[in-house]
PDB file of all heavy atoms in Angstrom:
ATOM      1  N   GLU A   1      -2.056 -10.789 -29.605  1.00 98.00           N
ATOM      2  CA  GLU A   1      -1.910  -9.445 -30.173  1.00 98.00           C
ATOM      3  C   GLU A   1      -0.780  -8.677 -29.513  1.00 98.00           C
ATOM      4  O   GLU A   1      -0.141  -7.831 -30.145  1.00 98.00           O
ATOM      5  CB  GLU A   1      -3.214  -8.653 -30.038  1.00 98.00           C
ATOM      6  CG  GLU A   1      -4.337  -9.173 -30.909  1.00 98.00           C
ATOM      7  CD  GLU A   1      -5.274 -10.082 -30.143  1.00 98.00           C
ATOM      8  OE1 GLU A   1      -4.803 -10.837 -29.262  1.00 98.00           O
ATOM      9  OE2 GLU A   1      -6.480 -10.024 -30.428  1.00 98.00           O
ATOM     10  N   ARG A   2      -0.525  -8.958 -28.222  1.00 98.00           N
ATOM     11  CA  ARG A   2       0.587  -8.278 -27.543  1.00 98.00           C
ATOM     12  C   ARG A   2       1.918  -8.725 -28.147  1.00 98.00           C
ATOM     13  O   ARG A   2       2.856  -7.942 -28.234  1.00 98.00           O
ATOM     14  CB  ARG A   2       0.569  -8.588 -26.040  1.00 98.00           C
ATOM     15  CG  ARG A   2      -0.714  -8.248 -25.286  1.00 98.00           C
ATOM     16  CD  ARG A   2      -0.993  -6.765 -25.225  1.00 98.00           C
ATOM     17  NE  ARG A   2      -1.661  -6.284 -26.431  1.00 98.00           N
ATOM     18  CZ  ARG A   2      -2.948  -6.493 -26.713  1.00 98.00           C
ATOM     19  NH1 ARG A   2      -3.721  -7.195 -25.903  1.00 98.00           N
ATOM     20  NH2 ARG A   2      -3.478  -5.994 -27.824  1.00 98.00           N
ATOM     21  N   GLU A   3       1.985  -9.978 -28.562  1.00 98.00           N
ATOM     22  CA  GLU A   3       3.203 -10.471 -29.219  1.00 98.00           C
ATOM     23  C   GLU A   3       3.406  -9.741 -30.547  1.00 98.00           C
ATOM     24  O   GLU A   3       4.529  -9.365 -30.900  1.00 98.00           O
ATOM     25  CB  GLU A   3       3.104 -11.978 -29.460  1.00 98.00           C
ATOM     26  CG  GLU A   3       2.924 -12.830 -28.215  1.00 98.00           C
ATOM     27  CD  GLU A   3       4.242 -13.301 -27.620  1.00 98.00           C
ATOM     28  OE1 GLU A   3       5.317 -12.837 -28.044  1.00 98.00           O
ATOM     29  OE2 GLU A   3       4.180 -14.168 -26.721  1.00 98.00           O
ATOM     30  N   PHE A   4       2.313  -9.548 -31.289  1.00 98.00           N
ATOM     31  CA  PHE A   4       2.405  -8.802 -32.546  1.00 98.00           C
ATOM     32  C   PHE A   4       2.937  -7.392 -32.280  1.00 98.00           C
ATOM     33  O   PHE A   4       3.815  -6.899 -32.993  1.00 98.00           O
ATOM     34  CB  PHE A   4       1.026  -8.687 -33.207  1.00 98.00           C
ATOM     35  CG  PHE A   4       0.378  -9.992 -33.596  1.00 98.00           C
ATOM     36  CD1 PHE A   4      -0.944 -10.014 -34.006  1.00 98.00           C
ATOM     37  CD2 PHE A   4       1.074 -11.193 -33.563  1.00 98.00           C
ATOM     38  CE1 PHE A   4      -1.558 -11.197 -34.380  1.00 98.00           C
ATOM     39  CE2 PHE A   4       0.470 -12.389 -33.921  1.00 98.00           C
ATOM     40  CZ  PHE A   4      -0.855 -12.385 -34.333  1.00 98.00           C
ATOM     41  N   GLU A   5       2.388  -6.759 -31.246  1.00 98.00           N
ATOM     42  CA  GLU A   5       2.803  -5.398 -30.908  1.00 98.00           C
ATOM     43  C   GLU A   5       4.265  -5.343 -30.474  1.00 98.00           C
ATOM     44  O   GLU A   5       4.960  -4.357 -30.767  1.00 98.00           O
ATOM     45  CB  GLU A   5       1.905  -4.839 -29.805  1.00 98.00           C
ATOM     46  CG  GLU A   5       0.465  -4.609 -30.250  1.00 98.00           C
ATOM     47  CD  GLU A   5      -0.501  -4.416 -29.101  1.00 98.00           C
ATOM     48  OE1 GLU A   5      -0.042  -4.437 -27.939  1.00 98.00           O
ATOM     49  OE2 GLU A   5      -1.707  -4.254 -29.370  1.00 98.00           O
ATOM     50  N   ASP A   6       4.726  -6.375 -29.777  1.00 98.00           N
ATOM     51  CA  ASP A   6       6.130  -6.413 -29.348  1.00 98.00           C
ATOM     52  C   ASP A   6       7.068  -6.405 -30.542  1.00 98.00           C
ATOM     53  O   ASP A   6       8.026  -5.623 -30.603  1.00 98.00           O
ATOM     54  CB  ASP A   6       6.396  -7.670 -28.514  1.00 98.00           C
ATOM     55  CG  ASP A   6       5.633  -7.701 -27.202  1.00 98.00           C
ATOM     56  OD1 ASP A   6       5.090  -6.657 -26.791  1.00 98.00           O
ATOM     57  OD2 ASP A   6       5.569  -8.788 -26.596  1.00 98.00           O
ATOM     58  N   VAL A   7       6.799  -7.291 -31.500  1.00 98.00           N
ATOM     59  CA  VAL A   7       7.654  -7.369 -32.686  1.00 98.00           C
ATOM     60  C   VAL A   7       7.568  -6.073 -33.483  1.00 98.00           C
ATOM     61  O   VAL A   7       8.580  -5.556 -33.975  1.00 98.00           O
ATOM     62  CB  VAL A   7       7.270  -8.579 -33.560  1.00 98.00           C
ATOM     63  CG1 VAL A   7       8.117  -8.613 -34.834  1.00 98.00           C
ATOM     64  CG2 VAL A   7       7.445  -9.885 -32.782  1.00 98.00           C
ATOM     65  N   ALA A   8       6.366  -5.515 -33.586  1.00 98.00           N
ATOM     66  CA  ALA A   8       6.196  -4.258 -34.319  1.00 98.00           C
ATOM     67  C   ALA A   8       6.962  -3.118 -33.649  1.00 98.00           C
ATOM     68  O   ALA A   8       7.587  -2.288 -34.329  1.00 98.00           O
ATOM     69  CB  ALA A   8       4.712  -3.905 -34.419  1.00 98.00           C
ATOM     70  N   ALA A   9       6.930  -3.070 -32.312  1.00 98.00           N
ATOM     71  CA  ALA A   9       7.642  -2.007 -31.587  1.00 98.00           C
ATOM     72  C   ALA A   9       9.140  -2.105 -31.814  1.00 98.00           C
ATOM     73  O   ALA A   9       9.824  -1.093 -32.032  1.00 98.00           O
ATOM     74  CB  ALA A   9       7.325  -2.096 -30.093  1.00 98.00           C
ATOM     75  N   VAL A  10       9.660  -3.320 -31.784  1.00 98.00           N
ATOM     76  CA  VAL A  10      11.091  -3.510 -32.035  1.00 98.00           C
ATOM     77  C   VAL A  10      11.424  -3.122 -33.475  1.00 98.00           C
ATOM     78  O   VAL A  10      12.404  -2.421 -33.743  1.00 98.00           O
ATOM     79  CB  VAL A  10      11.514  -4.965 -31.750  1.00 98.00           C
ATOM     80  CG1 VAL A  10      12.964  -5.195 -32.165  1.00 98.00           C
ATOM     81  CG2 VAL A  10      11.328  -5.288 -30.271  1.00 98.00           C
ATOM     82  N   ALA A  11      10.597  -3.578 -34.418  1.00 98.00           N
ATOM     83  CA  ALA A  11      10.839  -3.264 -35.829  1.00 98.00           C
ATOM     84  C   ALA A  11      10.793  -1.754 -36.062  1.00 98.00           C
ATOM     85  O   ALA A  11      11.620  -1.206 -36.804  1.00 98.00           O
ATOM     86  CB  ALA A  11       9.805  -3.961 -36.710  1.00 98.00           C
ATOM     87  N   ASP A  12       9.837  -1.073 -35.428  1.00 98.00           N
ATOM     88  CA  ASP A  12       9.737   0.375 -35.586  1.00 98.00           C
ATOM     89  C   ASP A  12      11.009   1.062 -35.088  1.00 98.00           C
ATOM     90  O   ASP A  12      11.529   1.983 -35.739  1.00 98.00           O
ATOM     91  CB  ASP A  12       8.536   0.917 -34.814  1.00 98.00           C
ATOM     92  CG  ASP A  12       7.203   0.612 -35.481  1.00 98.00           C
ATOM     93  OD1 ASP A  12       7.202   0.289 -36.686  1.00 98.00           O
ATOM     94  OD2 ASP A  12       6.170   0.695 -34.791  1.00 98.00           O
ATOM     95  N   THR A  13      11.513   0.621 -33.948  1.00 98.00           N
ATOM     96  CA  THR A  13      12.713   1.229 -33.373  1.00 98.00           C
ATOM     97  C   THR A  13      13.927   0.979 -34.249  1.00 98.00           C
ATOM     98  O   THR A  13      14.689   1.900 -34.569  1.00 98.00           O
ATOM     99  CB  THR A  13      12.965   0.667 -31.964  1.00 98.00           C
ATOM    100  OG1 THR A  13      11.853   1.007 -31.118  1.00 98.00           O
ATOM    101  CG2 THR A  13      14.236   1.239 -31.370  1.00 98.00           C
ATOM    102  N   VAL A  14      14.112  -0.264 -34.653  1.00 98.00           N
ATOM    103  CA  VAL A  14      15.284  -0.624 -35.455  1.00 98.00           C
ATOM    104  C   VAL A  14      15.219   0.036 -36.831  1.00 98.00           C
ATOM    105  O   VAL A  14      16.223   0.556 -37.341  1.00 98.00           O
ATOM    106  CB  VAL A  14      15.400  -2.157 -35.579  1.00 98.00           C
ATOM    107  CG1 VAL A  14      16.526  -2.549 -36.530  1.00 98.00           C
ATOM    108  CG2 VAL A  14      15.622  -2.784 -34.202  1.00 98.00           C
ATOM    109  N   ALA A  15      14.042   0.032 -37.451  1.00 98.00           N
ATOM    110  CA  ALA A  15      13.892   0.627 -38.782  1.00 98.00           C
ATOM    111  C   ALA A  15      14.117   2.133 -38.747  1.00 98.00           C
ATOM    112  O   ALA A  15      14.711   2.703 -39.676  1.00 98.00           O
ATOM    113  CB  ALA A  15      12.509   0.311 -39.342  1.00 98.00           C
ATOM    114  N   ALA A  16      13.637   2.793 -37.694  1.00 98.00           N
ATOM    115  CA  ALA A  16      13.826   4.240 -37.587  1.00 98.00           C
ATOM    116  C   ALA A  16      15.304   4.590 -37.507  1.00 98.00           C
ATOM    117  O   ALA A  16      15.758   5.578 -38.104  1.00 98.00           O
ATOM    118  CB  ALA A  16      13.082   4.768 -36.358  1.00 98.00           C
ATOM    119  N   GLU A  17      16.052   3.775 -36.794  1.00 96.00           N
ATOM    120  CA  GLU A  17      17.483   4.030 -36.659  1.00 96.00           C
ATOM    121  C   GLU A  17      18.238   3.678 -37.940  1.00 96.00           C
ATOM    122  O   GLU A  17      19.226   4.337 -38.291  1.00 96.00           O
ATOM    123  CB  GLU A  17      18.037   3.241 -35.473  1.00 96.00           C
ATOM    124  CG  GLU A  17      17.462   3.713 -34.134  1.00 96.00           C
ATOM    125  CD  GLU A  17      17.862   2.818 -32.982  1.00 96.00           C
ATOM    126  OE1 GLU A  17      18.456   1.746 -33.232  1.00 96.00           O
ATOM    127  OE2 GLU A  17      17.569   3.192 -31.827  1.00 96.00           O
ATOM    128  N   ALA A  18      17.777   2.643 -38.643  1.00 96.00           N
ATOM    129  CA  ALA A  18      18.461   2.216 -39.863  1.00 96.00           C
ATOM    130  C   ALA A  18      18.087   3.077 -41.060  1.00 96.00           C
ATOM    131  O   ALA A  18      18.827   3.166 -42.040  1.00 96.00           O
ATOM    132  CB  ALA A  18      18.139   0.754 -40.163  1.00 96.00           C
ATOM    133  N   GLY A  19      16.892   3.670 -41.011  1.00 97.00           N
ATOM    134  CA  GLY A  19      16.435   4.494 -42.121  1.00 97.00           C
ATOM    135  C   GLY A  19      15.723   3.714 -43.199  1.00 97.00           C
ATOM    136  O   GLY A  19      15.452   4.251 -44.279  1.00 97.00           O
ATOM    137  N   HIS A  20      15.389   2.457 -42.919  1.00 96.00           N
ATOM    138  CA  HIS A  20      14.649   1.638 -43.885  1.00 96.00           C
ATOM    139  C   HIS A  20      14.018   0.466 -43.146  1.00 96.00           C
ATOM    140  O   HIS A  20      14.411   0.154 -42.015  1.00 96.00           O
ATOM    141  CB  HIS A  20      15.570   1.130 -45.004  1.00 96.00           C
ATOM    142  CG  HIS A  20      16.819   0.466 -44.506  1.00 96.00           C
ATOM    143  ND1 HIS A  20      16.812  -0.792 -43.939  1.00 96.00           N
ATOM    144  CD2 HIS A  20      18.106   0.893 -44.481  1.00 96.00           C
ATOM    145  CE1 HIS A  20      18.054  -1.123 -43.597  1.00 96.00           C
ATOM    146  NE2 HIS A  20      18.850  -0.119 -43.909  1.00 96.00           N
ATOM    147  N   PRO A  21      13.031  -0.208 -43.752  1.00 97.00           N
ATOM    148  CA  PRO A  21      12.376  -1.332 -43.076  1.00 97.00           C
ATOM    149  C   PRO A  21      13.355  -2.446 -42.713  1.00 97.00           C
ATOM    150  O   PRO A  21      14.391  -2.635 -43.355  1.00 97.00           O
ATOM    151  CB  PRO A  21      11.346  -1.813 -44.105  1.00 97.00           C
ATOM    152  CG  PRO A  21      11.083  -0.617 -44.944  1.00 97.00           C
ATOM    153  CD  PRO A  21      12.412   0.097 -45.047  1.00 97.00           C
ATOM    154  N   VAL A  22      12.999  -3.183 -41.680  1.00 98.00           N
ATOM    155  CA  VAL A  22      13.834  -4.281 -41.198  1.00 98.00           C
ATOM    156  C   VAL A  22      13.219  -5.613 -41.642  1.00 98.00           C
ATOM    157  O   VAL A  22      11.990  -5.767 -41.683  1.00 98.00           O
ATOM    158  CB  VAL A  22      13.974  -4.225 -39.659  1.00 98.00           C
ATOM    159  CG1 VAL A  22      12.621  -4.348 -38.977  1.00 98.00           C
ATOM    160  CG2 VAL A  22      14.917  -5.311 -39.157  1.00 98.00           C
ATOM    161  N   ASP A  23      14.051  -6.572 -42.016  1.00 98.00           N
ATOM    162  CA  ASP A  23      13.588  -7.923 -42.327  1.00 98.00           C
ATOM    163  C   ASP A  23      13.503  -8.725 -41.034  1.00 98.00           C
ATOM    164  O   ASP A  23      14.262  -8.484 -40.085  1.00 98.00           O
ATOM    165  CB  ASP A  23      14.540  -8.606 -43.313  1.00 98.00           C
ATOM    166  CG  ASP A  23      14.601  -7.876 -44.647  1.00 98.00           C
ATOM    167  OD1 ASP A  23      13.550  -7.406 -45.114  1.00 98.00           O
ATOM    168  OD2 ASP A  23      15.707  -7.771 -45.223  1.00 98.00           O
ATOM    169  N   VAL A  24      12.591  -9.684 -40.990  1.00 98.00           N
ATOM    170  CA  VAL A  24      12.343 -10.445 -39.771  1.00 98.00           C
ATOM    171  C   VAL A  24      12.357 -11.939 -40.076  1.00 98.00           C
ATOM    172  O   VAL A  24      11.730 -12.389 -41.043  1.00 98.00           O
ATOM    173  CB  VAL A  24      10.990 -10.072 -39.134  1.00 98.00           C
ATOM    174  CG1 VAL A  24      10.806 -10.798 -37.809  1.00 98.00           C
ATOM    175  CG2 VAL A  24      10.878  -8.562 -38.927  1.00 98.00           C
ATOM    176  N   VAL A  25      13.070 -12.699 -39.254  1.00 98.00           N
ATOM    177  CA  VAL A  25      13.054 -14.156 -39.314  1.00 98.00           C
ATOM    178  C   VAL A  25      12.402 -14.660 -38.038  1.00 98.00           C
ATOM    179  O   VAL A  25      12.867 -14.347 -36.931  1.00 98.00           O
ATOM    180  CB  VAL A  25      14.475 -14.742 -39.438  1.00 98.00           C
ATOM    181  CG1 VAL A  25      14.429 -16.271 -39.351  1.00 98.00           C
ATOM    182  CG2 VAL A  25      15.128 -14.307 -40.740  1.00 98.00           C
ATOM    183  N   GLY A  26      11.320 -15.419 -38.166  1.00 98.00           N
ATOM    184  CA  GLY A  26      10.634 -15.943 -36.993  1.00 98.00           C
ATOM    185  C   GLY A  26      10.494 -17.446 -37.063  1.00 98.00           C
ATOM    186  O   GLY A  26      10.114 -17.996 -38.101  1.00 98.00           O
ATOM    187  N   HIS A  27      10.801 -18.110 -35.958  1.00 98.00           N
ATOM    188  CA  HIS A  27      10.666 -19.565 -35.887  1.00 98.00           C
ATOM    189  C   HIS A  27       9.375 -19.937 -35.164  1.00 98.00           C
ATOM    190  O   HIS A  27       9.118 -19.475 -34.064  1.00 98.00           O
ATOM    191  CB  HIS A  27      11.857 -20.182 -35.148  1.00 98.00           C
ATOM    192  CG  HIS A  27      11.690 -21.653 -34.873  1.00 98.00           C
ATOM    193  ND1 HIS A  27      11.657 -22.173 -33.613  1.00 98.00           N
ATOM    194  CD2 HIS A  27      11.525 -22.700 -35.734  1.00 98.00           C
ATOM    195  CE1 HIS A  27      11.487 -23.492 -33.684  1.00 98.00           C
ATOM    196  NE2 HIS A  27      11.406 -23.831 -34.953  1.00 98.00           N
TER     197      HIS A  27
END
């Protein structure tokens, strides 16, 4: 769950700055 929160925190930061949701590629 901490890994989920990490990706979500990054996405929240990047999306807020971009003004729209961010796409994610995960391997």
Side-chain angles (χ1 to χ4, degrees):
E1 291 97 324
R2 303 294 83 75
E3 300 269 10
F4 298 170
E5 293 165 1
D6 295 346
V7 177
V10 173
D12 286 342
T13 298
V14 174
E17 295 172 352
H20 51 74
V22 61
D23 298 321
V24 184
V25 174
H27 172 242

